[in-house]
Amino acid sequence: MKKEEVREETTQLVVFKLGEEEFGVNILQVREIEKLDQGLTRVPKAPHFVEGVINLRGEIIPIVDLRKRFGLTLPPLGLDSRVIIVEVGEEAVGMLVDAVVEVLRVPVSAIESAPSITKGVNSYYLAGVAKIEERLIVLLNLERALSPEEAEELSKAELG
Amino acid sequence: MDTSQYLNVFMDECQEHLQILNQSLLDLEKDPENIDILHAIFRSAHTLKGASATMGFNKMANVTHAMEDVLGLLRKQELQIDPEIINLLFDALDLLEALAKGITEGREEDIEVAGILQRLKKYSQQSEEEVTPADSNDRRKKLQLRYTTEEKENIFKLLESGSFLYHLDIQLKKDCLLKGARAFMILRELESVGTIIRTIPTAKELEDEQFDLEFIIGLCSKEPIEKIVKLVKRVTDVQEVKSESVKAEEILIERRESKPQYVETAAAKIETPDSAEQKKDEPAKKSSSPVHTGPNIYPTVRVDIRKLDTLMNLIAELVINRSQIEQLSSEIRDQRLEETVEHLNRLTIDLRDQVLKTRMVSIDQVFSRFPRLIRDLAKGTQKEVELRLSGVDTELDRTVIDEIGDPLVHIIRNCVDHGIEKPEEREAAGKPRTGVVALDAYQTGNSVIITVADDGKGMDPEKIGASAVEKGFITKDALNDLSDQEKINLIFLPGFSTAKEVSDVSGRGVGMDAVKNKISALGGVVSISSVPGEGTKFTIQLPLTLAIIQTLMIQLGEEVYAIPTSFVDQTISVSRKDIKILRHQEVTLLRGEVIPLLRLQDYLGIQGAKNSDLDELDVVVFKSGEKRVGCVVDSLLRQQDVVIKSLGGFLGDIPGIAGATILGDGRVALILDLRDVA
């Protein structure tokens, strides 16, 4: 019996916090996690959730404030805040989050599809929720969450 | 066979030969008697045939094969060059270009080739029918060989020493597998008994199997003809040998009777250093464009452009690191370190310049397409147009070269279509019948200027204005405020076209706005100057390279921004008291000219700028056409060469921002593209 359990298909998540809520992204999409200790260059006329760009060893990476992205009203970033550099398609994008919690291995069977609005985030941006014991980790669909076109269309739709 | 990895090499080669074909056909049209040009065309077609067949692009192989058949007949003078054939060959070339494009886009299948194949085959078959019977009656026609003056002198010398001149027409068996090897064996046999004066096709081509089954040899030998024929027939796969003994006088008389022009050509040949004899020994590749080869040809290496891109990126990193070390060194203040850094500095600059140079390609690559374009445009519009090219050696970054062709084609089309008048109109206006389109390219500082000028009727600002009002681009009132120059610039509006009817030639769905956008995307600017009745001139300014640019660093609020100096007209300092308000707009006087001032923070929509509190303002002036606009910044910092980096696909195109660069302290500075403010 035990062996079968081990063989069960699992996936690894990088778990992070926006406010007090826990979110996760697949570790395969995460390139690295950085502290935002260097200067950030603001980009005029960029979408409002783009904080700016940073120089990551010669590569210019846009930084997205996920809280603004999802329209969450939260206190300012604290000392634990981090940038998770993820790869979406060919592009590297930095996600600004309140804290990175851990890397967690979860069985695929624990992942369910997300209800229409989960923790204040539109399910369109979500890949599902992972229920592990008492925790509820919201999984992001990065292709959607980090696509500027989607954001534009969605905000238009909301306005209209 | 998986040939995908060779596709790039094939496409490169393909483009090269298409270009040679294009140029050679144009030359041939002007000089139909020049056999060297015909050889060049034949060789290119043949190479293309082989390469495309190897790659499995059968359509291209079939077309080139059919072309080769016709060219072969022209070369053997069994078919005379006339305008109809030239046009057919041009059409075939167009089709090849379409096929090449189709191959890169993966839709080669959709291109129809049957029409051209039929037309080409009609020629080759027709002439076979015509020539073959005639040939049996008059063998000399087929055995006719052209000799250059040197060759003739050689022949006469040999004849004097007791040799005979023979013409041999050797036919190989149809199922012969190693044509090249057989031909080589025959030539070797013949060389053992005499001197080969000339072969058609050349010995090199024979060896490369660039012939059907038949070839002709002019041979001087002391042996009797029977022995020579026997010698040839001993070689495997020889089907038939026709032979003829030629008298010395015959070479001369024959020539004068049938082809008097040839004597002139032959005489002219003496003066050119590349005699036919030399050419024969050259590798096919080098002699493939006899019209264009300059005196100095150095060995070259074909490099994947991506490798150069990588190299350029590495240099860019090095440049950034260098400025970091420079900054550290200025903090540490150690003389030995400073000297080393200075040395490193020079090396980096040299290295960068050299890499930039390797990426440079002469603009001839683009210009060489245009004689053909002008020819077709002139024919299509029934106008007489002459193209004048200058500055063809001017070099530009490969990336720019690749992109600048289309906008130029569009401008040239515009010149011929809308600028140059019909010959009768021109004569009525007291101009020469033939219109001129002149292309020029030259380098100034870090830019290359390309001008396209025509001597046509010029642009009429009023007509353009009226048309713009009619199409709803601008109100009548707004139009009245515009200068003539600004009215002319209206043609750059999206969707604008002054053509009364959409002609076949221009107006293929792209307007002048596309031209402007393309040039802007390359970091360049385009402007028009036009004098009614005298012509129109388009001036395009392009950066030498896209990778490294010279910028002016400015401070605004917390941030440092870089502005490409090529866009900056000048920088000025303006006192607060010299700023006036005119129609709710801050303005100032610059040497008698009123220029509007724009606070850069307002344009960019950013907070924290300090210039509203300053008494002395630093202003960067931009110029577009005759119009100047000043941008107020917090302070001017310095001039600096920077490496352009993309902001990436996530941020996409943000208006006013051309990219970003990394400063010596590791921070990112945005590169502003403020051309649109003026």
Side-chain angles (χ1 to χ4, degrees):
Chain A
M1 276 303 275
K2 212 151 196 202
K3 268 185 184 169
E4 255 174 52
E5 259 178 23
V6 172
R7 229 179 275 146
E8 188 184 9
E9 204 185 335
T10 60
T11 180
Q12 268 183 297
L13 301 178
V14 173
V15 181
F16 59 90
K17 277 186 171 179
L18 296 179
E20 287 308 307
E21 304 294 350
E22 285 186 324
F23 291 79
V25 290
N26 191 322
I27 200 166
L28 295 176
Q29 286 191 281
V30 176
R31 195 203 283 182
E32 58 194 289
I33 297 167
E34 295 273 323
K35 267 192 177 179
L36 191 62
D37 51 3
Q38 57 159 308
L40 183 100
T41 301
R42 282 173 295 164
V43 181
K45 297 182 182 179
H48 71 282
F49 53 83
V50 174
E51 284 296 291
V53 290
I54 59 163
N55 162 22
L56 186 70
R57 290 185 297 280
E59 193 179 351
I60 293 187
I61 314 265
I63 303 295
V64 170
D65 186 338
L66 272 190
R67 304 154 2 131
K68 288 187 188 164
R69 177 72 179 91
F70 298 139
L72 307 172
T73 35
L74 292 168
L77 290 166
L79 284 174
D80 289 337
S81 79
R82 292 287 186 280
V83 177
I84 305 176
I85 313 282
V86 292
E87 274 165 6
V88 185
E90 305 237 307
E91 305 290 334
V93 178
M95 305 192 300
L96 201 51
V97 301
D98 282 311
V100 173
V101 183
E102 62 181 327
V103 175
L104 192 65
R105 188 179 284 278
V106 298
V108 172
S109 60
I111 299 174
E112 299 168 10
S113 64
S116 66
I117 296 219
T118 311
K119 297 180 183 179
V121 178
N122 192 321
S123 68
Y124 181 76
Y125 299 132
L126 305 181
V129 288
K131 285 182 181 154
I132 295 122
E133 287 154 21
E134 292 305 296
R135 297 165 73 182
L136 193 68
I137 298 168
V138 182
L139 306 183
L140 295 184
N141 177 336
L142 289 180
E143 279 72 22
R144 289 181 175 175
L146 295 179
S147 151
E149 294 90 38
E150 299 281 0
E152 246 170 63
E153 272 167 35
L154 215 75
S155 61
K156 266 186 220 154
E158 278 162 10
L159 287 172
Chain B
M1 176 167 96
D2 177 26
T3 50
S4 57
Q5 55 175 319
Y6 304 113
L7 186 61
N8 281 337
V9 180
F10 168 71
M11 285 316 297
D12 272 356
E13 201 181 9
C14 187
Q15 293 303 344
E16 195 179 308
H17 284 288
L18 288 176
Q19 210 165 27
I20 293 171
L21 280 174
N22 193 5
Q23 184 59 47
S24 311
L25 275 174
L26 283 168
D27 291 340
L28 188 69
E29 192 176 28
K30 284 185 205 130
D31 184 10
E33 293 297 321
N34 190 332
I35 196 87
D36 282 341
I37 302 176
L38 202 55
H39 282 317
I41 296 174
F42 187 88
R43 272 190 297 266
S44 277
H46 182 85
T47 312
L48 272 179
K49 182 185 84 174
S52 52
T54 315
M55 294 294 291
F57 300 123
N58 292 332
K59 286 188 170 180
M60 187 178 272
N62 288 339
V63 174
T64 40
H65 185 85
M67 277 176 87
E68 204 188 18
D69 285 346
V70 173
L71 290 165
L73 293 172
L74 291 173
R75 206 161 65 150
K76 284 190 254 165
Q77 290 130 41
E78 290 177 15
L79 205 57
Q80 286 303 313
I81 295 172
D82 60 31
E84 211 179 314
I85 291 188
I86 297 262
N87 277 338
L88 174 59
L89 290 172
F90 268 127
D91 288 346
L93 175 60
D94 285 343
L95 189 69
L96 289 179
E97 276 170 354
L99 283 168
K101 204 162 164 241
I103 288 168
T104 39
E105 290 164 5
R107 41 164 201 83
E108 184 213 4
E109 302 295 312
D110 306 340
I111 297 168
E112 197 49 61
V113 298
I116 285 283
L117 283 182
Q118 212 173 6
R119 283 171 65 196
L120 286 167
K121 280 194 180 132
K122 209 176 83 196
Y123 265 106
S124 44
Q125 281 157 6
Q126 183 188 36
S127 73
E128 254 169 44
E129 286 157 16
E130 277 176 9
V131 171
T132 323
D135 178 50
S136 47
N137 294 340
D138 180 13
R139 296 163 97 213
R140 184 169 304 166
K141 186 171 178 190
K142 203 152 194 188
L143 295 189
Q144 183 179 305
L145 274 168
R146 291 175 169 182
Y147 293 108
T148 65
T149 315
E150 293 105 9
E151 282 167 350
K152 277 187 221 159
E153 277 170 13
N154 199 6
I155 291 171
F156 291 138
K157 240 182 253 161
L158 286 164
L159 292 181
E160 275 166 25
S161 68
S163 287
F164 305 99
L165 175 62
Y166 304 122
H167 285 176
L168 301 167
D169 181 335
I170 299 161
Q171 182 101 28
L172 295 178
K173 282 186 185 146
K174 272 210 174 94
D175 53 358
C176 166
L177 284 177
L178 297 159
K179 290 194 294 179
R182 297 300 173 227
F184 178 72
M185 284 166 71
I186 292 168
L187 292 184
R188 211 180 45 186
E189 288 292 334
L190 291 176
E191 264 165 1
S192 69
V193 293
T195 311
I196 295 172
I197 307 292
R198 182 172 258 253
T199 65
I200 292 182
T202 63
K204 170 76 189 159
E205 284 166 323
L206 287 175
E207 230 174 286
D208 291 347
E209 300 203 351
Q210 298 187 18
F211 66 107
D212 276 340
L213 290 166
E214 186 185 8
F215 55 98
I216 305 174
I217 295 172
L219 174 80
C220 280
S221 171
K222 289 181 180 163
E223 304 292 339
I225 183 98
E226 295 76 22
K227 189 179 171 191
I228 287 169
V229 170
K230 217 163 137 194
L231 207 60
V232 173
K233 279 190 171 161
R234 256 194 356 224
V235 177
T236 329
D237 286 337
V238 172
Q239 175 80 32
E240 195 191 349
V241 183
K242 292 179 208 157
S243 62
E244 186 182 354
S245 178
V246 186
K247 288 187 189 113
E249 313 87 71
E250 265 183 273
I251 324 170
L252 293 172
I253 298 162
E254 203 175 64
R255 206 64 59 221
R256 283 198 193 105
E257 278 171 354
S258 59
K259 289 247 174 256
Q261 306 95 315
Y262 185 71
V263 181
E264 285 165 38
T265 327
K269 257 209 170 123
I270 305 172
E271 286 150 40
T272 58
D274 51 352
S275 78
E277 199 60 36
Q278 276 174 338
K279 210 158 255 164
K280 205 157 62 179
D281 301 332
E282 267 178 310
K285 189 113 195 172
K286 265 195 189 166
S287 56
S288 61
S289 67
V291 200
H292 267 310
T293 39
N296 296 322
I297 299 169
Y298 300 105
T300 52
V301 183
R302 210 187 275 273
V303 183
D304 186 339
I305 186 86
R306 282 169 303 182
K307 284 187 186 160
L308 289 182
D309 283 344
T310 313
L311 193 56
M312 196 65 226
N313 275 333
L314 289 172
I315 303 256
E317 295 298 323
L318 187 65
V319 169
I320 291 164
N321 268 287
R322 181 208 67 188
S323 24
Q324 278 165 345
I325 292 176
E326 222 174 352
Q327 199 156 344
L328 285 177
S329 143
S330 69
E331 284 165 22
I332 293 168
R333 293 188 163 276
D334 180 297
Q335 207 201 331
R336 282 172 310 167
L337 178 61
E338 274 169 14
E339 274 167 18
T340 318
V341 169
E342 180 53 37
H343 189 63
L344 177 68
N345 227 339
R346 275 202 305 274
L347 279 177
T348 320
I349 291 171
D350 285 353
L351 186 59
R352 189 198 71 185
D353 289 349
Q354 283 305 318
V355 172
L356 282 180
K357 264 188 205 149
T358 58
R359 295 175 51 91
M360 301 293 251
V361 183
S362 93
I363 201 158
D364 189 34
Q365 272 203 9
V366 182
F367 279 10
S368 61
R369 287 162 57 183
F370 296 147
R372 171 72 198 284
L373 177 71
I374 289 281
R375 170 195 179 270
D376 288 358
L377 286 173
K379 284 211 166 162
T381 52
Q382 276 136 39
K383 291 173 182 175
E384 289 174 21
V385 189
E386 183 195 337
L387 177 70
R388 286 187 195 150
L389 297 175
S390 44
V392 294
D393 293 333
T394 311
E395 291 190 320
L396 269 168
D397 192 282
R398 168 71 195 250
T399 331
V400 185
I401 290 278
D402 286 346
E403 298 291 323
I404 196 62
D406 289 346
L408 281 177
V409 166
H410 195 76
I411 290 174
I412 291 173
R413 278 199 179 132
N414 242 287
C415 287
V416 176
D417 223 27
H418 305 317
I420 305 276
E421 312 91 330
K422 292 239 152 77
E424 307 78 50
E425 280 176 55
R426 290 183 63 88
E427 278 183 337
K431 294 182 183 179
R433 277 178 72 86
T434 304
V436 174
V437 174
L439 260 85
D440 188 15
Y442 56 94
Q443 188 181 339
T444 69
N446 274 327
S447 308
V448 165
I449 311 281
I450 302 172
T451 61
V452 184
D454 68 59
D455 67 346
K457 56 177 175 274
M459 289 185 182
D460 183 347
E462 299 313 319
K463 238 190 220 164
I464 293 170
S467 170
V469 172
E470 196 181 304
K471 286 172 186 156
F473 287 115
I474 188 170
T475 63
K476 231 176 178 149
D477 290 343
L479 182 70
N480 289 336
D481 285 346
L482 295 184
S483 66
D484 280 357
Q485 183 62 49
E486 284 167 327
K487 283 176 192 164
I488 286 177
N489 285 343
L490 290 173
I491 69 160
F492 287 122
L493 288 174
F496 192 96
S497 164
T498 48
K500 289 197 190 85
E501 310 143 37
V502 175
S503 72
D504 171 43
V505 190
S506 61
R508 284 193 190 165
V510 281
M512 290 305 290
D513 66 309
V515 170
K516 192 186 179 189
N517 288 344
K518 191 64 166 254
I519 290 166
S520 291
L522 292 172
V525 274
V526 57
S527 62
I528 311 176
S529 62
S530 184
V531 181
E534 285 179 23
T536 304
K537 184 174 177 181
F538 288 82
T539 305
I540 300 168
Q541 185 184 354
L542 290 167
L544 265 186
T545 170
L546 297 180
I548 294 182
I549 52 167
Q550 197 181 40
T551 62
L552 175 67
M553 300 297 225
I554 58 125
Q555 180 91 37
L556 187 70
E558 301 283 299
E559 311 278 7
V560 171
Y561 293 98
I563 301 173
T565 46
S566 54
F567 304 150
V568 176
D569 180 44
Q570 53 188 302
T571 58
I572 52 173
S573 180
V574 178
S575 301
R576 199 210 288 250
K577 61 177 175 20
D578 291 333
I579 297 178
K580 305 276 181 286
I581 306 287
L582 194 71
R583 285 192 257 179
H584 310 293
Q585 166 75 58
E586 285 186 303
V587 298
T588 191
L589 271 182
L590 174 65
R591 283 187 285 281
E593 184 188 346
V594 177
I595 64 165
L597 289 181
L598 187 92
R599 304 273 175 170
L600 189 53
Q601 63 269 33
D602 296 342
Y603 179 77
L604 294 174
I606 54 172
Q607 311 291 319
K610 298 179 183 69
N611 57 46
S612 27
D613 305 328
L614 299 173
D615 284 330
E616 284 291 320
L617 299 180
D618 280 325
V619 176
V620 183
V621 181
F622 296 89
K623 186 179 168 188
S624 160
E626 290 306 301
K627 201 176 148 206
R628 287 190 169 83
V629 171
C631 263
V632 183
V633 301
D634 285 359
S635 62
L636 303 173
L637 299 174
R638 60 187 177 274
Q639 279 200 9
Q640 189 176 328
D641 285 352
V642 303
V643 179
I644 301 188
K645 294 199 170 241
S646 156
L647 282 178
F650 176 72
L651 285 171
D653 282 341
I654 298 176
I657 296 175
T661 189
I662 295 168
L663 300 177
D665 62 4
R667 281 180 56 111
V668 179
L670 297 181
I671 300 170
L672 299 180
D673 177 356
L674 295 174
R675 278 168 294 169
D676 286 342
V677 304

